[in-house]
């Protein structure tokens, strides 16, 4: 999946109301497993519609609604994650593509190409091949989507599938393929044309404010007064809802309206606005400081990207003079990456290739111990920020290490950090790295208090995105490139 956003994370807000499992006799674990597996096989045999012959594909009646409803009911009655994973695994393995049909239709296409038959005959053969490549379970998902609440069910089903994969309860190419098919279907159903942009204010319904508050996973809302600040003067909050569930947030975005590009998150989420009445001449920048996905099952669907584009247009309508758009984003994974480097270099006979000799000397004088070993212990907690001397001593090396982490550390050629990857795919510029920008416990332990600005130059986002996705080039500011150069000069991995 694409990276999510400025700390784009997921929480579940749309609970499915499954019927409780029907009471029955208590069986021994072996008997229970056997009975449950037989029930699963019988359910899938009955619920998954057979693939009609190609000639009958548009003439075969849809399966009875009750068959799909039975699957939904049975699945909802499975209380254990492992049980749901088992059912999904059986569905993926037993009701996918008919590989024999795919081979037969592929051979037919190749044969016709060799004979150089007319275009109409070849096109029909290719259409037969496409038809053979559709897995059977896609038909089940398609018909479930037509049930009342069916799309919502499928969103949760994919969330369960992702969780089962993460826990390694279900694995293999068939499962990955089914996840991809379901993701593709959800991407169509949740495309931008079906999404409504809604603004949240203090006068929004209480249930909406409550859901938005609960959805905030980047910088948690502490109380109602905190929530009031985040939707009050010099702040904006928007969310996408689906046309089938108006008022239900799918992805939520918080924006601060400021005089410049913000470098500290506490100044946004804790400090009171300059006045209760907005003065437009004090607003020069829009800072996207939080995007939270509320549905884990929509992971990989480009809701965050669509939301940024729509919010920018909305803000430009409200403030025609507004020209600066930037995120203030966490850097999840930086501390973990740094601790991994410190740990590996500690094992290599005390080599100090991350720091210069003068930095090692200063850090050792402050901490009273070897640089790598001591920092490995200190950075595992938040206590090190209590020493002003250590904070000053670490600023230069950690800034350049963070710049390299965001700019130089890659996964398949793209930025390793998911938040950086998200914004760079959107065409933003890696603009600035900020020291002690998040001094909360989460900020210190997750990214040593560092945060990054990804700036959106609206005329350049298209070319930047194309360059990143096609050539894997990261557009960065002089500040970031200077820090990267310092890393390359003073540190070695």
């Amino acid at each position: 999946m694409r990276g999510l956003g400025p700390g784009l994370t997921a929480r579940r807000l749309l609970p499915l109301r499954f019927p409780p499992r029907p009471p029955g006799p208590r069986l021994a674990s072996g008997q229970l497993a056997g009975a449950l597996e037989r029930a699963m096989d019988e359910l899938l045999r009955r619920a998954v519609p057979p693939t009609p012959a190609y000639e009958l594909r548009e003439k075969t009646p849809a399966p009875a609604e009750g068959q799909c409803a039975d699957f939904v009911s049975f699945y909802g009655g499975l209380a254990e994650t492992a049980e749901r994973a088992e059912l999904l695994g059986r569905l993926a393995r037993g009701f996918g593509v008919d590989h024999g049909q795919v081979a037969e239709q592929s051979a037919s296409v190749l044969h016709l190409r060799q004979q150089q038959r007319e275009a109409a005959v070849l096109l029909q053969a290719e259409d037969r091949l496409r038809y053979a490549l559709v897995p059977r379970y896609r038909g089940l998902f398609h018909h479930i989507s037509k049930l009342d609440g069916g799309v919502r069910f499928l969103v949760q089903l994919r969330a369960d599938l992702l969780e089962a994969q993460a826990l390694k309860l279900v694995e293999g190419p068939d499962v990955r393929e089914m996840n991809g098919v379901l993701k593709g279907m959800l991407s169509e159903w949740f495309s931008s044309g079906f999404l409504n942009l809604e603004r949240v204010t203090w006068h929004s319904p209480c249930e909406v404010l409550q859901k938005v508050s609960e959805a905030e996973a980047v910088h948690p809302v502490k109380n109602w007064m905190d929530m009031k600040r985040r939707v009050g003067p010099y702040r904006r909050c928007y969310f996408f809802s689906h046309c089938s569930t108006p008022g239900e947030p799918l992805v939520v975005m918080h924006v601060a309206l400021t005089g410049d590009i913000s470098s500290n998150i506490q100044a946004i989420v804790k400090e009171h606005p300059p006045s209760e009445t907005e003065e437009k001449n004090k607003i020069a920048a829009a800072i996207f400081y939080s995007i939270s996905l509320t549905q884990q099952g929509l992971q990989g669907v480009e809701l965050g990207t669509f939301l940024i584009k729509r919010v920018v247009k909305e803000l430009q309508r409200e403030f025609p003079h507004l020209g600066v758009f930037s995120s203030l984003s966490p850097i999840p994974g930086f501390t973990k990456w740094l601790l991994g480097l410190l740990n590996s270099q500690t094992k290599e006979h005390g080599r100090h290739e991350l720091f210069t000799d003068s930095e090692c000397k200063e850090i050792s004088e402050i901490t009273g111990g070897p640089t790598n070993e001591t920092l490995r212990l200190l950075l595992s907690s938040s206590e090190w920020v209590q020493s002003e001397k250590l904070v000053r001593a670490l600023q230069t090396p950690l800034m350049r290490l963070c710049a390299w982490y965001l700019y130089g550390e890659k996964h398949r050629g793209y930025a390793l950090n998911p938040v950086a990857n998200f914004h760079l795919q959107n065409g933003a510029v890696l603009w600035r790295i900020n020291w002690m920008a998040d001094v909360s416990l989460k900020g210190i332990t997750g990214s040593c208090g560092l945060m990054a600005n990804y700036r959106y130059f609206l005329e350049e986002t298209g070319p930047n995105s194309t360059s990143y996705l096609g050539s894997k080039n990261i557009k960065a500011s002089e500040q970031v490139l200077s820090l990267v150069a310092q890393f390359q000069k003073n540190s070695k991995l």
Side-chain angles (χ1 to χ4, degrees), residues 31 51 63 101 111 168 178 183 213 250 286 293 304 309 324:
Q31 292 175 304
T51 301
Q101 273 292 310
H111 179 68
K168 299 191 182 303
M178 187 169 78
K183 174 187 167 185
S213 171
L250 299 174
L293 186 69
K309 292 177 179 178
V324 177

Side-chain angles (χ1 to χ4, degrees), residues 287-328:
I287 308 302
F288 317 133
Y289 68 91
S290 172
I291 303 179
S292 294
L293 186 69
T294 70
Q295 299 295 305
Q296 189 72 21
L298 293 176
Q299 213 177 90
V301 179
E302 295 186 20
L303 298 178
T305 300
F306 293 147
L307 184 57
I308 287 176
K309 292 177 179 178
R310 291 276 289 275
V311 167
V312 165
K313 290 181 180 178
E314 187 71 19
L315 291 172
Q316 285 180 316
R317 276 195 289 268
E318 187 177 1
F319 304 100
H321 69 284
L322 193 59
V324 177
F325 299 92
S326 173
S327 78
L328 179 59

Side-chain angles (χ1 to χ4, degrees), residues 221-488:
V221 177
K222 294 183 178 180
N223 50 46
W224 281 111
M225 289 306 296
D226 188 6
M227 186 66 205
K228 185 175 182 179
R229 274 199 303 272
R230 298 194 194 195
V231 297
Y234 298 97
R235 300 293 180 266
R236 294 293 184 272
C237 178
Y238 301 93
F239 68 85
F240 266 152
S241 63
H242 193 260
C243 58
S244 64
T245 54
E248 291 281 5
L250 299 174
V251 58
V252 182
M253 179 172 174
H254 290 268
V255 183
L257 302 173
T258 64
D260 201 356
I261 297 179
S262 302
S263 60
N264 184 280
I265 190 61
Q266 274 72 42
I268 290 177
V269 298
K270 286 190 174 182
E271 294 180 9
H272 290 278
S275 66
E276 287 298 315
T277 303
E278 290 180 351
E279 297 179 41
K280 292 192 175 184
N281 62 339
K282 292 184 178 180
I283 297 172
I287 308 302
F288 317 133
Y289 68 91
S290 172
I291 303 179
S292 294
L293 186 69
T294 70
Q295 299 295 305
Q296 189 72 21
L298 293 176
Q299 213 177 90
V301 179
E302 295 186 20
L303 298 178
T305 300
F306 293 147
L307 184 57
I308 287 176
K309 292 177 179 178
R310 291 276 289 275
V311 167
V312 165
K313 290 181 180 178
E314 187 71 19
L315 291 172
Q316 285 180 316
R317 276 195 289 268
E318 187 177 1
F319 304 100
H321 69 284
L322 193 59
V324 177
F325 299 92
S326 173
S327 78
L328 179 59
S329 302
I331 310 173
F334 172 64
T335 302
K336 182 179 179 181
W337 173 81
L338 179 56
L339 290 174
L341 292 182
L342 292 170
N343 187 51
S344 64
Q345 296 210 348
T346 299
K347 292 178 180 177
E348 295 177 13
H349 310 293
R351 290 161 60 192
H352 302 297
E353 295 185 346
L354 297 180
F355 306 96
T356 64
D357 291 341
S358 61
E359 288 167 351
C360 286
K361 182 181 178 181
E362 184 180 8
I363 292 168
S364 294
E365 288 176 352
I366 295 170
T367 61
T371 303
N372 283 3
E373 295 90 329
T374 307
L375 284 182
R376 192 158 48 87
L377 294 173
L378 287 173
L379 296 180
S380 297
S381 71
S382 61
E383 294 179 6
W384 63 274
V385 296
Q386 297 175 13
S387 168
E388 292 184 10
K389 288 184 178 180
L390 186 57
V391 169
R392 285 197 300 269
L394 288 177
Q395 179 173 356
T396 297
L398 291 195
M399 285 281 282
R400 70 169 182 262
L401 283 163
C402 185
W404 178 256
Y405 170 69
L406 295 175
Y407 185 87
E409 289 295 309
K410 304 292 178 64
H411 174 66
R412 297 178 180 175
Y414 298 106
L416 173 67
N417 182 267
V419 178
N421 187 52
F422 169 81
H423 288 293
L424 293 169
Q425 287 188 80
N426 291 343
V429 174
L430 178 51
W431 184 250
R432 190 172 67 198
I433 297 170
N434 304 292
W435 179 246
M436 289 293 109
D438 184 359
V439 294
S440 69
L441 178 62
K442 184 178 180 181
I444 296 297
T445 56
S447 58
C448 299
L450 289 152
M451 297 188 79
N453 298 115
Y454 298 91
R455 186 167 176 181
Y456 285 77
F457 294 94
L458 302 184
E459 301 81 8
E460 300 176 15
T461 53
N464 289 349
S465 177
T466 300
S467 177
Y468 179 69
L469 293 171
S471 305
K472 302 175 182 177
N473 294 325
I474 293 178
K475 191 71 176 291
S477 69
E478 290 184 7
Q479 184 236 28
V480 174
L481 293 177
S482 174
L483 289 169
V484 169
Q486 291 175 37
F487 169 86
Q488 293 171 326

Side-chain angles (χ1 to χ4, degrees), residues 60-118:
T60 304
E65 192 174 285
Q67 292 176 229
C68 300
D70 285 347
F71 179 89
V72 173
S73 178
F74 184 95
Y75 185 86
L78 297 174
E80 301 295 329
T81 302
E83 293 174 348
R84 295 188 177 194
E86 177 64 26
L87 178 60
L88 294 175
R90 286 171 181 264
L91 178 62
R93 290 187 296 269
F95 298 87
V97 167
D98 183 336
H99 297 294
Q101 273 292 310
V102 172
E104 182 180 326
Q105 299 303 328
S106 298
S108 176
V109 170
L110 290 172
H111 179 68
L112 290 171
R113 281 181 60 85
Q114 291 168 355
Q115 289 186 331
Q116 296 184 342
R117 298 288 297 274
E118 57 270 24

